[in-house]
Every structure is written in structure tokens, then in C-alpha cells.
Amino acid sequence: MVILLLACAGDPAESRRPSEDSGAEEVAPAQMDAERLLVRLSLDLRGVRPSPAELDAVKADPTSVDASIEAWLADPAFERRMMELWAVPFRTRLDDYPGGADVFGASSEARFQAAIGEEPLRLIARVAADDRPWTDVVTADWTMSDAVLAEVWPVDYPDGAEGWEEVHYTDGRPSAGVLSTNGMWWRYGSTIENYNRGRANAIARVLLCDDFLHRPVSFSRTNISLESDSLLEQTQTDPNCTTCHVAVDPLGSYLFGFTYYDTAFVSPTYNFAAERDWANGTTIAPSYFGEPGDGLRDLGRQVANDPRFVSCAVETTWTGLMARAAVGGDFDTLSDIRDDFILGGLKMKDVVRRVVADPRYRAADGTVADGAPYKLVPVELLASQVEALTGFRWTFYEYDMLGTDLYGLRLLAGGADGVYVTTPATQPNTTLLLVQSRLAALAAGYAVEHDAERADPLFDVVAPDVEPTDEQLLAQLRSLSLRVLSQRASDADVADAAALWEAAYVDSGSPSEAWALALTLLLRDPALLVY
Amino acid sequence: MYALLLACSEPSPVDDAKGGEDGTTSPVDDGAVTWEGLPDEEPLPMLLDADGVAGALDEGFARLVGMDAGRLDENIAATWARLDRDGPCPEYYGANIGSDYTYEDWWSGGCVDPDGTAVDGYGQRTTASWGGEGSAGSYATGYFEGTITSPEGWKAGGFGYYYLEEARDTDGQSVWRYLIGELSAEAADTDGSWLERSAGYAMSGGAWWDRWGGVWMAVDGNVPLEGDAVAFSVLGVEAYSTSWGYPCPGEYAGTWSVRDANGWWYVVDFDADEYETDGTCDGCAEVLVDGVSIGTACPDLEPMISMEVIAW
């Protein structure tokens, strides 16, 4: 029996309840139990599954979930999760940026390619993780760089450092957070005669949630001249064109400092001299939706001052954590979260707290209107949870197999490359299962071989190369199920797994191989993909 | 049995809305909270006065039109000279085409020369010459798009085209020269990291010179500078000989701009083309920052107008 008391006015589920007069039995919106919720929170906030001890603790005291949320918001892994969440709208994680390491003098092609697109995402993630005001995203005078990126970018990366560090561009470019980063504008380039319009739309889409391409336009193609000068004139005079171009073109005029003359059309160095090339292009001076400005610094402040920037941050976080677009019933909640976001000084963690506390985030099943009871793990979470469990990260030379497409399997695993596929899969598909299967086998073999080297061995009952007693076998299988799938296996499930283990042992004569098989099957379980 | 109590949502934010301490938020009557943006910020100071702008105009224009005397060309020439034209990279051929006097060089590459020079892109250059009693001449035209990286790490990449025609007398002295073209390039030299001096050049335009004093020049483009003034840009700059009727020997027409290190652009509109109506052909013009005058700049344009600084 489930007793649910919901007495809050405006609750989205309320409108779906049958009226008292209807005589129908009320269906109570169900919320996740504490253990299941803990799994979702752990994956969303730190990219790994909760430990058995954490599951035990929340089982004993369900209210301890709140303490876990706070702890995980402070966990260094939260920063990476924020990066991965914002990677979806930014679409910067390509693995075939032009030029390449050999042209620009970077020591590693794979690391250079990965770092380019991560630069703006790391900046955003640092702002979120450090509870800095969200406006820093577009006003900060610093960016993020790792050692490889610093071999190419003109930044003051500290001597001897290795990982991602806060740095400053040394070429004197204006400070505007992500709007000043090479990573952003290497990703979003512009042809000579597009005058940065695509870049302008990237700003509107990513930071304002106002994609110009979603605006309704209607015009006759027969009235459009493709002659360059005439086309430019039409964009500025035809009412059907000006719907977008009146805002897009002057927004693009801020970005001519990222005009590159190399044939690769990218350069690590900001091009001050080209800032006023708009005068020779559209001839439209920079302005932000009608407000004149001068340079990137102005643009950053104008974006920061735009109410849409604040609302978009909330909506993007909601969308990322709910794994679905915001729908009509969400917007009252988003408005409330946005208000608190503002009153709290624009701290992103406040938004995350509100989203993960929402009944729709915690929905156990379909009884919660617009709930998200089952989410497919994004490829980043598939990789990070398997790595945390087994110590295995699938790489090919230095390429992350689940983070790239040129050599890797990101798209097949349901990821987005940001160009051909712009949103991650939300439903399982065949190729994802194939990738999971291969990943499971590789990771299990690695885990068995390297378990003794780990501080927190996966095989905590019996070493994998030792023949277990019957009791050890059952206990170890039970432990692995809890560790890998966050599930308390039933006696029947454990017995089935033990029989399989025995068969594999008889067949191979090796306890290690039998454990590798058992672990592979756990890592192939659909429960690893849905949370 | 599961007993689930979902507490009502927290009190509405407007219940205790107090506005941010920095004054950037405030409750409004309808209960929503308004984002009022960042506090005002003092703008960065301007680094140049009108005289500084005038000096930067001189330097910028000299650099823009004199770039082929600079390190860019030296490095390209030196790198090109090292290329193994008989080797596999770049693919290269030269041939007489059309007549004995027309020659074409063509290259294309995406590989590394045995000496370590990397060539990526393609280029083409056609030259022709003619001669006869009383006159001789030549023209050269070319196009390139590519990147050359020397073994030392020096790199130049860009794209452009040019057409250069020249007539000479029987003594080999120039009678007239005509050049039009467009060049955009990133380049960096070998002093320290190649990033230290990387820069973007862009220019398009043309020039005419003849031995009877006829000159014409038109240019759009920009070039980086160093110091307080970090960039120079021109748009629609044009001048020609007074003997051809140019009304203003002390000025060029067009918009000239200089950017300082703090981001301020100083815009100077020379009004040479208005000389005949308002008589302001004095070589001076107002310096505008965001449309507001900060003084008058009178750069020394004479060397430019006489093309003394032009290396073409």
C-alpha cells in the first residue's frame, strides 16, 4: 500500500487526478525508494554508482539522501559531470578539429583534439563546481587548459602542471568567459560570407536557449537572389529575412576577432586587427538585440544581463538531469527555480539541488506526470561507472573509445558527436548493446587481472585466482551484484549465477576465467544502462 | 508499506525576496523575481590620445602596404628555396605553356619534404614576358592556398591571389607597374615559440605607378601592431595622383582605425573625397571613439601618398 500525501497547489500531477466525483480510485504518484534514488543521484552528480556501504546507509536511514546530495555536490567528480551535462548543448567535443597536433606543435593528437572542445565546458564546470556566479561563464577573465592545450594556446599555464588549470590568455584578447575561448570558436567557425551568423546562433542557442533556426519564417524562394550583394541586401530589408537577421547579423559582428586566415581556418591567436571587419562585411555594427556594444567584453556583459541567460541555465540543467526536454508542466517549476537561482546569487548548485529534489526527477514510475522514472545512461556515465567499478578505461592508443568517433564508438554507444548527432540517445538501441557487450568483456578481464592492485578490490570475499568455497562463491556473487548493479540479488539469482560460474570453471579450469565471465554478465546487464 | 510524504514546496522565493546585496535583483509586483543584470562597471581606460592615434596610423599603414619587405616574405622565400622540387613533395611541375614566353609553375602537396619542410595546399604561378623594339614587358599572376611549415617551426598559412603587370623600356627600366591582389595569412617567426609572433594579415587592393608621376592606390585590410596600439585597420582607403585630378594631395580617403590594448577602437574618417565641397583637405581628421571626438589626428601621409613606403 502506498500512501501519498500531496497537498501542494499547482502540482503538475494534480491535474491528472480523477475528480472525487468520478468515483475512480486515485492513482498515487510514486516516488523512488531511497536506494534507487541514491543510484540515480550518485550517477548524475559524480558519475559512479554508490558503494555498498552507501546503499546500506541510505537503506537504514532514507533521510540520509540529502546528506549524500550535499557531499556529492562537493565531490570533485561533480565538476566533470557538469562538463558532461553542458557538453550536450555546446556540441564542442569533436575529435577532428582542423589543423591537428602536428600543425600546431602539440605533443599528442588525441589529447589535443579532446582538450579543444573541453575548454569552454571546463570553464562552465568550474564556475558551477566552485559556486561562482553564473555570469562568470560569459565574463570571466580566465579559461581552462591542460598541459597539451597549453602547448598551443597562448596561455599562462603553470610550469610543471599536468591537469586542467585555470589560466589566462596572454594574447590580450578581451575577457568574456566562454565567448573568449578558442575552443568555442574553433568549433563554431564562419565562412567569409557568412559573417559569423552561425556563431551568433550558437550563442543564442546555447546560452539563451533561443535558437534562431526555430523561428518561423516564410518567404518565396523565387524572390531570393543568390547574388552575394543582393543576398546581403535582402537579409537586411526583406521582412521575412529581418525576422532573424536584424538580431543575428549585429551579434555576429562582435566575433570578427576570431577571423582566421590560415587555410585550416583556425588560429590559436586572437585577431585584434579583424575586429572591425564587419565594416567590410555586413556593414552592421555590433549590437546585442538592439543594444549597441563594442567588443567581446561588452558582449559578455550583455549576455550576462539578459534574463534569458539566467532562464536558459536553469532549463539546460533541468533538461540534462531529467534527460528530456522541458515540457509545459515544467515551466512553473523552472520559473520558481530561476527565482531562487537569482536570489541565491546565481549559484548553479542551487539549481541542481532543486532539480534533483523535484518529484518528477524522483518519479518511480509513470504515475508521476511528466516524470522521468527511467533514464538511459549517457555514454559518459557508461564509461565512468565501468571505470570506477573495474579500473578499466577503454582506449585506443590515447583515444577514448567511448568519448570519440574517429577511432572510438561514442555514436554507437548512444552519444552525440555534436555535428551529425546533436543529442544523446534516450532509448536503448542495438549498437549500444553491442558496445556494452564488448566493454563488459574487456572491463571484466581487466578487473580480474588487476584486482589485487586496487585499494578497494572488487573481489572483496575471495581473490579471483583462488578457488572459492561454496560459501565464498555465493557471498562474492552477492557482493558483486550489489557493487556493479546496486541491486540486492535474490537467492535464486545468486544460485543461477553460481551455477554459471561452476560451469565456466569446469570448462576452463581457471577461477579467474570463471570470474571474468560472471563479471562480464553483470556488466552486460540492462540494469547498468538504466537508472 | 511505503509512507511517502512529499512536503509542500518551499515558501515562494518572493516571500522573503530582499534583493541582492549588489542591487541586482528585486521582487516585482507579480511575485516573480527580476534579473536586473550585473552592476555597472568602470570601462577600461583609453590608452591613446589623438597624437598616439596619428602615430599608429603611420605605422599601421606602412606595415600594411610594406609587408612584402617584412619577415613574412623572407621566411616564405627561404622556405620555398629549400623545397626539393625534384622530390616527391610537393608535387611540382613547371612548363612553358602557350608560347615560349609563358611559363607556369604549379605545386600541390600534403606531405613532408625530406628536409622536414611540411607543405600542405596548392599554388599556381603563371608568368609571361614580351619584348620588342622599343618596349618590353611581363606579367605574373598567381594563386595559392596552403600552409608551409619549416623544419625550425616557422609557419605561414594563408590564401590569396595577385596579378602584377609591368612594362619596361629597352633599358629595362620600368615604365609602369600595375598590381591587384588579395592576401590573408597567418604567420609566425622562429623567435622562441612560433606563437609569440603569430599574426593575421589581410589586405586587398591595387596600385598603379608610372614614370610620369601617375599613382593610384586602393586598399582594404588590417594588420597587427605592438604596444598600446595593437591593431590597424583600413576600409575604402584610396588616393591617386593630382595629375589625374585627385583633389587632395595631403590625404587619403577612407576610414582608418586603430585599436588599443584595452579594446578601444579609434576611428578616423578622412574626408578627401569631400575636398571640393568643403575645403577640408588638410591631412587632418577627427578621431572618434564610440562616435565621440577625442581630438584631431594629423598623420604624416605624404610618404604614403608618394608611395615611398610601398614595397611593391
Side-chain angles (χ1 to χ4, degrees), chain B residues 188-209:
Chain B
D189 62 26
T190 54
D191 295 335
S193 162
W194 72 273
L195 280 170
E196 287 182 6
R197 296 271 313 258
S198 66
Y201 287 94
M203 68 171 298
S204 63
W208 168 275
W209 171 93

Short mmCIF file of all heavy atoms in Angstrom, two decimals, chain B residues 188-209:
data_model
loop_
_atom_site.label_atom_id
_atom_site.label_comp_id
_atom_site.label_asym_id
_atom_site.label_seq_id
_atom_site.Cartn_x
_atom_site.Cartn_y
_atom_site.Cartn_z
N ALA B 188 54.21 33.24 -38.46
CA ALA B 188 54.91 33.30 -37.18
C ALA B 188 56.39 33.07 -37.45
O ALA B 188 56.75 32.36 -38.38
CB ALA B 188 54.39 32.23 -36.24
N ASP B 189 57.24 33.69 -36.67
CA ASP B 189 58.65 33.51 -36.95
C ASP B 189 59.27 32.58 -35.91
O ASP B 189 58.59 31.97 -35.08
CB ASP B 189 59.37 34.85 -37.01
CG ASP B 189 59.30 35.59 -35.69
OD1 ASP B 189 59.15 34.94 -34.64
OD2 ASP B 189 59.35 36.81 -35.73
N THR B 190 60.55 32.44 -35.99
CA THR B 190 61.21 31.39 -35.21
C THR B 190 61.74 31.88 -33.87
O THR B 190 62.37 31.12 -33.16
CB THR B 190 62.38 30.81 -36.02
OG1 THR B 190 63.23 31.89 -36.41
CG2 THR B 190 61.89 30.07 -37.22
N ASP B 191 61.48 33.12 -33.53
CA ASP B 191 61.96 33.62 -32.24
C ASP B 191 61.15 33.00 -31.13
O ASP B 191 60.02 33.38 -30.89
CB ASP B 191 61.85 35.15 -32.18
CG ASP B 191 62.76 35.82 -33.18
OD1 ASP B 191 63.77 35.19 -33.56
OD2 ASP B 191 62.44 36.93 -33.61
N GLY B 192 61.75 32.07 -30.44
CA GLY B 192 61.03 31.40 -29.38
C GLY B 192 59.89 30.58 -29.95
O GLY B 192 59.96 30.05 -31.04
N SER B 193 58.84 30.51 -29.19
CA SER B 193 57.67 29.78 -29.66
C SER B 193 57.11 30.45 -30.90
O SER B 193 57.08 31.68 -31.01
CB SER B 193 56.61 29.77 -28.57
OG SER B 193 55.36 29.45 -29.12
N TRP B 194 56.62 29.66 -31.82
CA TRP B 194 56.05 30.27 -33.02
C TRP B 194 54.81 31.06 -32.69
O TRP B 194 54.40 31.93 -33.44
CB TRP B 194 55.75 29.22 -34.08
CG TRP B 194 54.59 28.33 -33.77
CD1 TRP B 194 54.61 27.17 -33.06
CD2 TRP B 194 53.25 28.52 -34.17
NE1 TRP B 194 53.37 26.63 -33.00
CE2 TRP B 194 52.50 27.44 -33.66
CE3 TRP B 194 52.58 29.50 -34.90
CZ2 TRP B 194 51.15 27.31 -33.86
CZ3 TRP B 194 51.22 29.37 -35.10
CH2 TRP B 194 50.51 28.29 -34.59
N LEU B 195 54.24 30.82 -31.53
CA LEU B 195 53.06 31.58 -31.16
C LEU B 195 53.37 33.02 -30.79
O LEU B 195 52.51 33.88 -30.85
CB LEU B 195 52.38 30.91 -29.96
CG LEU B 195 51.51 29.71 -30.26
CD1 LEU B 195 51.12 29.01 -28.99
CD2 LEU B 195 50.27 30.16 -31.02
N GLU B 196 54.62 33.24 -30.40
CA GLU B 196 54.93 34.56 -29.87
C GLU B 196 54.66 35.68 -30.86
O GLU B 196 54.31 36.78 -30.50
CB GLU B 196 56.39 34.61 -29.43
CG GLU B 196 56.66 33.84 -28.17
CD GLU B 196 58.10 33.94 -27.73
OE1 GLU B 196 58.86 34.71 -28.34
OE2 GLU B 196 58.45 33.24 -26.79
N ARG B 197 54.90 35.40 -32.09
CA ARG B 197 54.72 36.47 -33.08
C ARG B 197 53.70 36.12 -34.13
O ARG B 197 53.73 36.66 -35.23
CB ARG B 197 56.07 36.76 -33.75
CG ARG B 197 57.15 37.29 -32.83
CD ARG B 197 57.13 38.81 -32.72
NE ARG B 197 57.02 39.46 -34.01
CZ ARG B 197 58.04 40.03 -34.65
NH1 ARG B 197 59.23 40.01 -34.14
NH2 ARG B 197 57.85 40.65 -35.80
N SER B 198 52.83 35.19 -33.84
CA SER B 198 51.85 34.86 -34.85
C SER B 198 50.94 36.06 -35.05
O SER B 198 50.70 36.84 -34.15
CB SER B 198 51.05 33.64 -34.44
OG SER B 198 50.26 33.91 -33.32
N ALA B 199 50.45 36.22 -36.25
CA ALA B 199 49.69 37.41 -36.54
C ALA B 199 48.84 37.18 -37.76
O ALA B 199 49.11 36.31 -38.57
CB ALA B 199 50.63 38.58 -36.79
N GLY B 200 47.82 37.95 -37.87
CA GLY B 200 46.98 37.85 -39.04
C GLY B 200 47.10 39.08 -39.92
O GLY B 200 46.97 40.20 -39.43
N TYR B 201 47.38 38.85 -41.15
CA TYR B 201 47.38 39.93 -42.13
C TYR B 201 46.19 39.73 -43.05
O TYR B 201 45.88 38.60 -43.43
CB TYR B 201 48.62 39.88 -43.02
CG TYR B 201 49.91 40.30 -42.37
CD1 TYR B 201 50.73 39.36 -41.80
CD2 TYR B 201 50.29 41.63 -42.38
CE1 TYR B 201 51.94 39.72 -41.23
CE2 TYR B 201 51.49 42.00 -41.81
CZ TYR B 201 52.32 41.06 -41.23
OH TYR B 201 53.47 41.43 -40.67
N ALA B 202 45.59 40.79 -43.46
CA ALA B 202 44.57 40.68 -44.50
C ALA B 202 44.58 41.98 -45.28
O ALA B 202 44.57 43.07 -44.70
CB ALA B 202 43.20 40.44 -43.91
N MET B 203 44.64 41.87 -46.56
CA MET B 203 44.54 43.08 -47.37
C MET B 203 44.04 42.72 -48.76
O MET B 203 44.24 41.62 -49.26
CB MET B 203 45.88 43.81 -47.47
CG MET B 203 46.93 43.07 -48.26
SD MET B 203 48.37 44.10 -48.55
CE MET B 203 47.69 45.42 -49.51
N SER B 204 43.38 43.66 -49.34
CA SER B 204 43.01 43.54 -50.74
C SER B 204 43.10 44.93 -51.33
O SER B 204 42.90 45.93 -50.63
CB SER B 204 41.60 42.97 -50.89
OG SER B 204 40.66 43.86 -50.33
N GLY B 205 43.43 44.98 -52.57
CA GLY B 205 43.53 46.30 -53.17
C GLY B 205 44.35 46.26 -54.43
O GLY B 205 44.58 45.21 -55.04
N GLY B 206 44.79 47.42 -54.83
CA GLY B 206 45.56 47.52 -56.05
C GLY B 206 46.37 48.81 -56.08
O GLY B 206 46.16 49.72 -55.26
N ALA B 207 47.32 48.87 -56.99
CA ALA B 207 48.15 50.06 -57.12
C ALA B 207 48.64 50.20 -58.56
O ALA B 207 48.79 49.22 -59.29
CB ALA B 207 49.34 49.96 -56.17
N TRP B 208 48.83 51.43 -58.92
CA TRP B 208 49.38 51.75 -60.23
C TRP B 208 50.50 52.76 -60.01
O TRP B 208 50.40 53.65 -59.16
CB TRP B 208 48.30 52.37 -61.13
CG TRP B 208 48.87 52.98 -62.39
CD1 TRP B 208 49.37 54.26 -62.53
CD2 TRP B 208 49.02 52.36 -63.66
NE1 TRP B 208 49.80 54.47 -63.81
CE2 TRP B 208 49.60 53.30 -64.53
CE3 TRP B 208 48.70 51.09 -64.15
CZ2 TRP B 208 49.88 53.01 -65.87
CZ3 TRP B 208 48.97 50.82 -65.48
CH2 TRP B 208 49.56 51.76 -66.33
N TRP B 209 51.55 52.58 -60.76
CA TRP B 209 52.64 53.57 -60.74
C TRP B 209 53.13 53.74 -62.16
O TRP B 209 53.23 52.77 -62.92
CB TRP B 209 53.79 53.05 -59.88
CG TRP B 209 55.03 53.91 -59.98
CD1 TRP B 209 55.38 54.95 -59.17
CD2 TRP B 209 56.09 53.78 -60.94
NE1 TRP B 209 56.56 55.50 -59.55
CE2 TRP B 209 57.04 54.80 -60.67
CE3 TRP B 209 56.32 52.94 -62.04
CZ2 TRP B 209 58.20 55.00 -61.42
CZ3 TRP B 209 57.48 53.13 -62.79
CH2 TRP B 209 58.40 54.13 -62.47
#
